[in-house]
Amino acid sequence: MRLAVKSGKRFKEEFIVDADKSISHRCAIFSLLADGVNEIKNYLRAEDTLNSLEIAKSLGAEVEDGGDIIKIKAPKKLKEADDVLYCGNSGTTIRIYMGLLAGIDGFFVLTGDEYLRRRPMKRVAEPLRKIGAKVDGRENGNLAPLGIRGGELKSFEYESKIASAQVKSALILAALNADKPSFYKEPFLSRDHTERMLKGMGAKLDVKVNADLSCEVTIYPLIKKLSPLKFEVPNDPSSAFFFAVAAAITGSTAILKNITLNPTRIEAYKTLEKMGADIEYILKEDKYEPVGDIVVKGNKLKGIEVNEKIPWLIDEIPALAMAMAVAEGKSVVKNAKELRVKESDRIKAVVENLKKCGIEARELEDGFEIIGGTPKKTVVDSHGDHRIAMSFAVLGLLCGMEIQKAESIYTSFPNFFQLFEKIADFEVINAD
Ligand code: S3P
């Protein structure tokens, strides 16, 4: 599917973007640990999160989709699924389920689409193996399809070299099924929805965030099932950020409604502010997660160097790159090697496509450099990556753009097209 953006306009608009993807995945997966009926409002119905829900069903959960509320009731004991568990494009689905299934009796096979099957799983498989899990797959357990023979797990003390919420969440779930308390440390606090939600459900976790923002979690094994989730998922700051950048580069105003204001998720907005945009955060409530509106007003943008708190803005870097492409002067992103193993190699995809738009850009091993300029219309390859597709669609507001493999947008943000209509003239062509 090709997205042909013809033009954009200056705007002042409200956007109710889709529900948060990270939190929705966790609602589906953590419901399996609860006794009783979990009630989830505003669950994200995108391909990735629907896959997480399908897997919960295959493991025995009863799911009733009442439109407004999804009810999930876990079985007494998770069952061995009678087929492979399909995670689609979603790293979060496969990695968090690895941690859960490693401690459940039975044999499970997790797989995904051609992109997911190229992404590294060793970061979860290795620590799980150390505590007695049986995980295998291509490249000695690094690539899906992955086979897991679930069983008893030992407690652990594990210091991760990478700050990854998917790895942390997988290990926390494994620790809940272990024999004694476990300890997990990451070099920098990654998004903390898992800790917030599991604690809210009654799990015993001690979380310590140190002055250098490294994070330590002590996890106590479950002695009984958790309380069910009764929760309304806030809207996704990563999805909303495309409209923040749209406002920033067109001198417009975007009012982004009911967004999680969790600090581990909104650092990209702080960066956009430093580049020159006016941004206001209006806190409205705080249950599990702070939630509110974000108002972004476009202004003249200047280049910036981004090299810290990277895990707090990693998913927004492709969209930020579009602001950098039109800002005055040079921008640099560093310490962001993880971008190379996301849904695509995002360093390569951003630089290659910006160059096609006539913008001076250069790959670094762990980031990129961009010299702001005047972009021109071209055909860009999204590499099957939703965030690359939406980022270049936003740049197209200024100059027009054709984006190939735009169907990837449905993995995270099915409502994107409807909202984009408010600010752009575009056409969807059902061929590449
Ligand atoms: C996610 C964690 C992040 C992020 C991904 C979603 C999650 O990856 O990039 O899109 O929901 O846990 P890491 O595991 O590298 O932190």
Side-chain angles (χ1 to χ4, degrees), residues 273-294:
E273 240 180 308
K274 286 185 201 143
M275 292 177 78
D278 279 337
I279 306 194
E280 201 187 337
Y281 307 85
I282 306 157
L283 179 69
K284 296 201 296 202
E285 59 173 290
D286 200 344
K287 183 192 172 196
Y288 295 112
E289 295 277 331
V291 180
D293 297 344
I294 303 179

Side-chain angles (χ1 to χ4, degrees), residues 22 26 92 123 163-167 190-191 314-315 338 342:
S22 288
R26 285 160 174 79
T92 308
R123 53 184 59 198
S164 158
Q166 294 169 352
V167 176
S190 62
R191 63 188 65 188
I314 189 89
D315 288 349
E338 276 292 300
K342 293 294 179 189

Side-chain angles (χ1 to χ4, degrees), residues 6 44 59 72 109 145 178 182 202 373 384 392:
K6 292 175 194 156
L44 172 63
L59 298 171
I72 307 172
V109 179
S182 300
F392 281 89

Side-chain angles (χ1 to χ4, degrees), residues 275 301-304 321-332 354 358-361 369-375:
M275 292 177 78
L301 295 173
K302 53 182 189 304
I304 193 166
M322 304 302 117
M324 292 170 174
V326 298
E328 191 186 294
K330 179 168 153 182
S331 293
V332 186
L354 278 181
I359 298 294
E360 215 181 307
E369 282 179 2
I370 296 172
I371 314 285
T374 308

Side-chain angles (χ1 to χ4, degrees), residues 29 32-33 59 78 95-104 128 153 169-170 173-174 177:
I29 302 170
L32 296 172
L33 302 172
L59 298 171
L78 295 189
R95 293 195 180 115
I96 301 190
Y97 269 120
M98 284 170 78
L100 175 71
L101 296 175
I104 307 292
L128 284 180
L153 299 178
S169 304
L173 290 190
N177 282 315

Side-chain angles (χ1 to χ4, degrees), residues 65-83:
D65 189 344
D68 194 28
I69 298 190
I70 294 189
K71 293 186 180 170
I72 307 172
K73 188 171 184 309
K76 277 210 163 54
K77 206 170 155 280
L78 295 189
K79 73 170 175 91
E80 216 173 30
D82 54 17
D83 203 349

Side-chain angles (χ1 to χ4, degrees), residues 207-229:
V207 181
K208 192 168 148 228
V209 180
N210 299 311
D212 61 356
L213 293 177
S214 62
C215 167
E216 300 172 7
V217 190
T218 305
I219 310 110
Y220 297 84
L222 284 186
I223 37 179
K224 61 176 175 50
K225 288 209 166 193
L226 298 176
S227 313
L229 278 163

